Structures are given as structure tokens and as C-alpha cells.
């Protein structure tokens, strides 16, 4: 509320039209889109794989996936730098390929994927684990190979949970700050996202910072509402073979 | 067992084959995945896909569309083709599940407790339908049930499995006539009485029951035994009758439960089944003392 009361709506809109704000919006849209695509494409099969295994390796992998959740963002940033900076662990390899990662747009994507993916993968694992275990087996006896079971049974049934997980990951991605500013910096038009722009503009032009803040409040609200709707939709569409009440005997034959 | 046949579970050792096609042979290293075996599996809770309608469920594994139409007609679910699974009754769900399983043109049908998810009211009708279906299909079928009546009504051969081992197998009539052990006797509906047996006069065996009383049997036996008597072998009367039965128990009626056209009465340690007409003629009532009689030939003596 305070953000919206601080400046008049007209100034808010014109502040959003400033170069700093539009550049940040563009960078955020691009990097978030790429990061979310990567998280969904890799995270969904990975979550399914983890959800359908019972082994020590699985437990170790799940813990590794969850690690960024508890890691301070600054540690994530310095860790990514240590790995991908030119003199870092893997930096040499990328350098030889002519790829520079640190302080580029790729670095923003890396940082966002690193901190946001656990939100998606965790929710997705839970969604796949919540499926009636008889259904994949039934699909197999009906001639479906593992890929068809995943695409035609597991994926549509877990859709609500996957959507909710994406909403969480998206919220975290847009809000990503610490790891990004350490690993990618905050170069306007290149690596400056909405979140880092607030920090930079705070000194330069408070109105712009406030305007971006207002934009993020609105986007967060939309994300939260879609998350809630997805969770509700998921609980409605749960396997009715198990949860639907039996009809009275007279109606059955 | 059904999961092993279907390939959903791989046992440490074993062999599964249908005709000359081997599906699993742990010695030869053969283990076909479920989708390459030809099984029609009816799951206990039916495992229908809740995100698909009836038609899409049946079509999921179908070989060709024509069969799907025929199956929908045959199982009287054509009018439900666009219905969601959640809108169906228990009986309808089972018919959808059967249609879905048969749409793949399976070589064997696996039925996991096909009647247990139904209420008692629906059960009898579905059992009859299922019996006709199995007869028409003429497919090898493995049915798992905890209910001997279901097994007797639906199966040509019954195997009694305890702790993963087959205790006895044969026709339902074989199991009733010659239960191999106390569990089979009790599973097939017999009343079980424990006692000590010893050879008596004129070739009969005398069994002194733990709960008091003596019973004569034509079966041989000695030492600690179990005596099995089927309820339909026990007759009830007001007084000690002059019939040929040698075994009589005089006791009050503990419970009286109507079962279809019969009445099941618990008299002391015994259960007797008499027709409703006889029960009325005798004026049976809980608490009344009656005589339960059964012939020595109607008892089975089984070593404990």
C-alpha cells in the first residue's frame, strides 16, 4: 500500500516508461522466460524420475535439489562465480568454447535457474508422488510404454501441481536478487533485472524504483492468485475412483 | 500373483508363460515389460483414468476403434461414453474397467477382487453377469478373491493360497468334500471344532471336543484334530429325533441370521443352515433350546 500511496498514479506510469524501467522489464522477461523454459523442460522429467524411484541415490539427489532453498543467495552467487567465472572451476572450459558467462545475460539465467528450480522440482515431485499408484500400472497393462505413461497419464494428472510449482518458481525467479547481482552484476539493458533495478534506481530516481516496486507487487499478486486457483483445481480433480463417495445402491446395477 | 503375471512385479525366481509365449523366465533371463504381455487386468479399485471420459478410458489401449464401439454396447455403457469417471456408480465403473481391459484383445484376464468394491446389493447381480461374461469370453482367467462363494460361483478350479503358497487346489466341490487342512475347511464355510480323536467302536472315530461333548466321525484320526462340519449338514429339531444321525448337540440358539432363502442359526459351537420354511415350522427363536444333529459321515477329521 505504501508504495502506491508514495507517488501519484500518473507519475507511476511515466516512471515505468523510463529507459531504466523498460530495459529492466525486457531483461527480466527474457531471462525469466528462458530460465522457466529450462526449469520446466528439465525439471519435469527429473521430478517424475525422482518421484518414481525408491533408493538411497534418489534421497541424495532430492537433497541436492533442495539445497538452494536453504542456501543464502549471496553464497549461491559466489558459488556460481567460483564455478563459472573465467578463472573458476568450469570457466576455463566455457572460455575455450568462446563463451563468457559471468556478468552476461546467461549468468542471470543461471542464477535464476539455480535459485528458482527447487521450488518447481519439489512441488512437481510431490504432485507425481500424489498420483494413484495403480494408474501407471494400469496404463502399462493397456500397452503403454514408460514414455506414453508419462505423457498421457502422469503429466495430465499432475498438471495442477506442476502449474502450482511453476507459479512458485516464477515468483522466486522474478524476485531473484542476491545471486544475480553477485554473479551477473547490474548492467542496465544487459543484466539489470527489475529486482536489481529497484536497488540501483533507489539512489538515482526513487520514483522509478517505486514504480518497478508497484509493478512487482501487481505481478506477485497475480502469481499468488493463480497458485491458489491451481491448488484448488488440483484437489478437485484428484482421482475420483478413490475419493468420490459411492452412489446409493439403488442407482447402481 | 496377478502383478507378477502382468509384469508389474518381478519375482526373484519364477516362470510365466501363456501358450508357447514365455513372458518371464528368471533362469533364462526373459522378462517382458507389461506393455508387451497380453493381459487384461481388472484392478481392485478399477484404476480408471480420472482425467479421461469413459470413451477415452476404453480406447486407451484399444487395438482398433470398432472393438471399442462393440465393447461400449456390450457393457451397456455406450450412453456414458462422454461421462467423467467420477460421475459413475460402482457397477458402471466396473463395466468400464472390464471394457477397457478387453479392448486390448488380451490373451489372459486378471481379476483382482472384482466384487469387493461393490456393495452387497450390487454384488449378487454383478457376480451373475461376470459368470456369463467369463463363459462367453472363454479366456484363461485368474481371479483373486477372499470370498469362497465368489470363487465357487466364478471359477472352474480354485486354489487356496496362504502365505504365498497354494495349500490346496481343485474344483470348489472338491475343496468342500475333501478340505486338506483346517484353513481350507474354514475358508469353504465349515464350522471348525478342536478336539482329541481316538478310534472308537464299529470303525468310527470318537472325537472329544475341547469345548465339551463327543462327536463321532467316519473319518479316521488320532491325537489332536480339527473336526469340520458344514452348516448345511446340520439339521435342527425340537427333541432328540430318532433319525440316523449319531451326533447331537442340545444347546440354546445364540444367533439367527436370514441368508437368502435360508436361516443360519448358531447353536452352541455349531452353525446350522435350515430353510426359512423349516425355521418357521420349528418356531426358532434366539435363546430357545434346540437339538442340532449331523451324521458321522458329514464330518471331516483333519490333523492339526
Amino acid at each position: 500500500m505504501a508504495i502506491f500511496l508514495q507517488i501519484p498514479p500518473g507519475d507511476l506510469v511515466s516512471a515505468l516508461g523510463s529507459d531504466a524501467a523498460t530495459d529492466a522489464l525486457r531483461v527480466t522477461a527474457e531471462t525469466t522466460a528462458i530460465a522457466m523454459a529450462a526449469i520446466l523442460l528439465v525439471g519435469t522429467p527429473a521430478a517424475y524420475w525422482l518421484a518414481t524411484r525408491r533408493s538411497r541415490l534418489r534421497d541424495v539427489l532430492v537433497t541436492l535439489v533442495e539445497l538452494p532453498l536453504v542456501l543464502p543467495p549471496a553464497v549461491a552467487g559466489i558459488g556460481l562465480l567460483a564455478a563459472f567465472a573465467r578463472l573458476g572451476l568450469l570457466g576455463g572450459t566455457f572460455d575455450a568454447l568462446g563463451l563468457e558467462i559471468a556478468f552476461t545475460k546467461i549468468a542471470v539465467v543461471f542464477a535464476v535457474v539455480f535459485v528458482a528450480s527447487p521450488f518447481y522440482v519439489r512441488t512437481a515431485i510431490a504432485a507425481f508422488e500424489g498420483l494413484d499408484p495403480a494408474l501407471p500400472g494400469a496404463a502399462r497393462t493397456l500397452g503403454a510404454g514408460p514414455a506414453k505413461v508419462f505423457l498421457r497419464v502422469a503429466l495430465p494428472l499432475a498438471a495442477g501441481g506442476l502449474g502450482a510449482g511453476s507459479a512458485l518458481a516464477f515468483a522466486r525467479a522474478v524476485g531473484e536478487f542476491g545471486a544475480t547481482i553477485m554473479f551477473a552484476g547490474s548492467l542496465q539493458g544487459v543484466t539489470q533485472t527489475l529486482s536489481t533495478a529497484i536497488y540501483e534506481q533507489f539512489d538515482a530516481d526513487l520514483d522509478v524504483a517505486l514504480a518497478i516496486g508497484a509493478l512487482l507487487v501487481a505481478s506477485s499478486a497475480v502469481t499468488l492468485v493463480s497458485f491458489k486457483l491451481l491448488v484448488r483445481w488440483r484437489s478437485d480433480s484428484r482421482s475420483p475412483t478413490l475419493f468420490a463417495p459411492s452412489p446409493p445402491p439403488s442407482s447402481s446395477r | 500373483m496377478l502383478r507378477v503375471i502382468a509384469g508389474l512385479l518381478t519375482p526373484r525366481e519364477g516362470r510365466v508363460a501363456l501358450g508357447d509365449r514365455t513372458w518371464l523366465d528368471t533362469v533364462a533371463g526373459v522378462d517382458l515389460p507389461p506393455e508387451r504381455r497380453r493381459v487384461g487386468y481388472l484392478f481392485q479399485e478399477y484404476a480408471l483414468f480420472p482425467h479421461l471420459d469413459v470413451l477415452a478410458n476404453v480406447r486407451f489401449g484399444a487395438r482398433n476403434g470398432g472393438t471399442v464401439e462393440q465393447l461400449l454396447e456390450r457393457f451397456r455403457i455406450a450412453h456414458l461414453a462422454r461421462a467423467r469417471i467420477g460421475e459413475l456408480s460402482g457397477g458402471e465403473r466396473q463395466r468400464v474397467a472390464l471394457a477397457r481391459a478387453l479392448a486390448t484383445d488380451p490373451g489372459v484376464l486378471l481379476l483382482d477382487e472384482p466384487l469387493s468394491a461393490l456393495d452387497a446389493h450390487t454384488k449378487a447381480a454383478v457376480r451373475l453377469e461376470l459368470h456369463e461374461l467369463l463363459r462367453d469370453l472363454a479366456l484363461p482367467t485368474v481371479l483373486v478373491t477372499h470370498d469362497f462363494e465368489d470363487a465357487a460361483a466364478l471359477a472352474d478350479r480354485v486354489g487356496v493360497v496362504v502365505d504365498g503358497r497354494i495349500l490346496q487346489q481343485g474344483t470348489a466341490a472338491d475343496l468342500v468334500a475333501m478340505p486338506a487342512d483346517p484353513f481350507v475347511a474354514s475358508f469353504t464355510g465349515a464350522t471348525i471344532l478342536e478336539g482329541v480323536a481316538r478310534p472308537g467302536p464299529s470303525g468310527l472315530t470318537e472325537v472329544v471336543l475341547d469345548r465339551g461333548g463327543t462327536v463321532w466321525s467316519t473319518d479316521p484320526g488320532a491325537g489332536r484334530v480339527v473336526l469340520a462340519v458344514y452348516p448345511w449338514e446340520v439339521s435342527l429339531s425340537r427333541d432328540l429325533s430318532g433319525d440316523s444321525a449319531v451326533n447331537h448337540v442340545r444347546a440354546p440358539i445364540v444367533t439367527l441370521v436370514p441368508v437368502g432363502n435360508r436361516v443360519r442359526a448358531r447353536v452352541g459351537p455349531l452353525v446350522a443352515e435350515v430353510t426359512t420354511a423349516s425355521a418357521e415350522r420349528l418356531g426358532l427363536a434366539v435363546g430357545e433350546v434346540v437339538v442340532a444333529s449331523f451324521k458321522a459321515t458329514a464330518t471331516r477329521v483333519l490333523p492339526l
Side-chain angles (χ1 to χ4, degrees):
Chain A
M1 280 307 277
I3 291 175
F4 290 98
L5 292 175
Q6 198 73 31
I7 48 170
D11 293 359
L12 205 72
V13 173
S14 65
L16 272 180
S18 71
D19 283 353
T22 49
D23 282 350
L25 185 58
R26 186 171 47 77
V27 170
T28 303
E30 282 171 13
T31 54
T32 307
I34 296 169
M36 285 305 294
I39 290 171
L40 294 182
L41 284 175
V42 179
T44 310
Y48 182 66
W49 191 88
L50 289 169
T52 48
R53 295 294 179 289
R54 284 283 163 273
S55 68
R56 184 71 57 82
L57 176 67
R58 172 218 130 95
D59 296 343
V60 172
L61 288 174
V62 170
T63 309
L64 274 180
V65 166
E66 289 171 347
L67 192 60
L69 285 178
V70 291
L71 211 58
V75 178
I78 200 89
L80 286 167
L81 266 180
F84 295 106
R86 191 167 299 168
L87 299 174
L89 195 60
L90 304 169
T93 319
F94 284 99
D95 211 26
L97 293 168
L99 265 176
E100 198 174 327
I101 293 186
F103 304 107
T104 66
K105 221 169 255 174
I106 305 174
V108 180
V109 173
F110 271 40
V112 166
V113 168
F114 188 80
V115 298
S117 59
F119 287 86
Y120 177 72
V121 176
R122 260 178 65 102
T123 321
I125 291 176
F128 286 127
E129 281 178 343
L131 298 184
D132 178 353
L135 296 179
R140 293 295 295 274
T141 66
L142 293 167
K148 190 178 171 189
V149 172
F150 173 65
L151 290 173
R152 291 211 38 203
V153 178
L155 213 49
L157 282 172
L162 301 183
S166 333
L168 285 178
F170 176 77
R172 182 67 185 85
V174 172
E176 164 47 26
F177 177 80
T180 308
I181 208 153
M182 291 204 62
F183 182 45
S186 181
L187 192 61
Q188 190 182 332
V190 182
T191 63
Q192 191 173 85
T193 63
L194 290 170
S195 294
T196 48
I198 292 182
Y199 179 70
E200 295 292 335
Q201 292 301 319
F202 182 67
D203 290 334
D205 185 343
L206 187 61
D207 279 4
V208 174
L210 282 169
I212 295 174
L215 179 67
L216 288 179
V217 168
S219 129
S220 305
V222 169
T223 310
L224 184 63
V225 169
S226 23
F227 171 78
K228 298 238 169 187
L229 288 175
L230 283 165
V231 168
R232 181 184 298 178
W233 176 64
R234 177 173 57 156
S235 51
D236 283 351
S237 65
R238 266 211 199 119
S239 169
T241 47
L242 286 175
F243 296 100
S246 313
S250 54
S251 70
S252 45
R253 273 154 287 179
Chain B
M1 187 163 68
L2 297 183
R3 294 176 63 79
V4 168
I5 298 173
L8 296 172
L9 192 72
T10 302
R12 219 169 301 139
E13 52 185 299
R15 213 178 89 83
V16 177
L18 177 70
D20 53 2
R21 300 283 299 275
T22 302
W23 288 350
L24 170 82
D25 189 336
T26 48
V27 177
V30 178
D31 185 5
L32 285 189
E35 61 270 23
R36 292 188 49 211
R37 303 181 182 199
R38 292 177 49 226
V39 299
Y41 199 141
L42 184 74
F43 288 81
Q44 195 169 356
E45 305 279 350
Y46 309 137
L48 295 170
F49 303 123
H51 59 301
L52 301 176
D53 61 19
V54 167
L55 181 63
N57 262 281
V58 177
R59 201 189 268 157
F60 191 90
R63 297 276 160 119
N64 64 71
T67 338
V68 171
E69 300 280 308
Q70 283 169 17
L71 285 166
L72 291 179
E73 289 294 333
R74 169 171 199 169
F75 287 97
R76 309 191 309 281
I77 46 176
H79 63 291
L80 298 169
R82 288 291 159 204
R84 285 268 165 177
I85 299 309
E87 302 162 5
L88 305 181
S89 73
E92 287 165 348
R93 278 179 205 188
Q94 184 179 58
R95 298 210 298 275
V96 174
L98 273 170
R100 185 181 70 170
L102 292 173
T104 60
D105 187 23
V108 59
L109 196 55
L110 306 176
L111 307 177
D112 189 1
E113 303 252 4
L115 301 167
S116 69
L118 302 172
D119 53 76
H121 192 82
T122 321
K123 198 170 159 171
V126 173
R127 183 153 67 192
L128 198 66
E129 275 184 302
L130 203 54
H131 182 253
E132 285 169 10
L133 176 75
L134 295 180
R135 193 194 54 208
D136 295 349
L137 288 174
L139 267 180
T141 301
V142 182
L143 180 148
V144 170
T145 178
H146 285 97
D147 186 335
F148 179 69
E149 277 189 59
D150 291 347
L154 295 170
D156 302 322
R157 294 181 62 77
V158 180
V160 182
V161 178
V162 176
D163 295 334
R165 294 190 178 280
I166 297 183
L167 267 187
Q168 187 178 5
Q169 58 175 322
T171 65
D174 287 346
L175 298 190
V176 170
M178 294 276 186
D181 102 329
F183 180 83
V184 178
S186 140
F187 176 66
T188 54
T191 304
I192 300 296
L193 304 167
E194 287 186 27
V196 178
R198 60 169 181 187
S202 58
L204 293 180
T205 304
E206 181 188 25
V207 182
V208 179
L209 301 179
D210 294 350
R211 298 175 61 177
T214 301
V215 170
W216 299 91
S217 175
T218 45
D219 272 10
R224 283 210 61 79
V225 294
V226 155
L227 190 92
V229 190
Y230 287 94
W232 50 87
E233 304 277 15
V234 180
S235 61
L236 296 180
S237 56
R238 279 287 174 183
D239 303 296
L240 262 182
S241 55
D243 63 17
S244 59
V246 294
N247 296 307
H248 304 281
V249 173
R250 182 191 281 277
I253 297 176
V254 186
T255 57
L256 211 53
V257 183
V259 185
N261 54 3
R262 291 153 294 154
V263 173
R264 186 174 279 242
R266 178 168 281 279
V267 179
L270 286 170
V271 175
E273 240 178 48
V274 294
T275 59
T276 312
S278 307
E280 277 166 12
R281 183 168 49 77
L282 288 169
L284 297 183
V286 172
E288 300 227 4
V289 176
V290 292
V291 178
S293 313
F294 53 98
K295 299 165 83 170
T297 51
T299 58
R300 299 278 77 85
V301 173
L302 306 165
L304 196 63

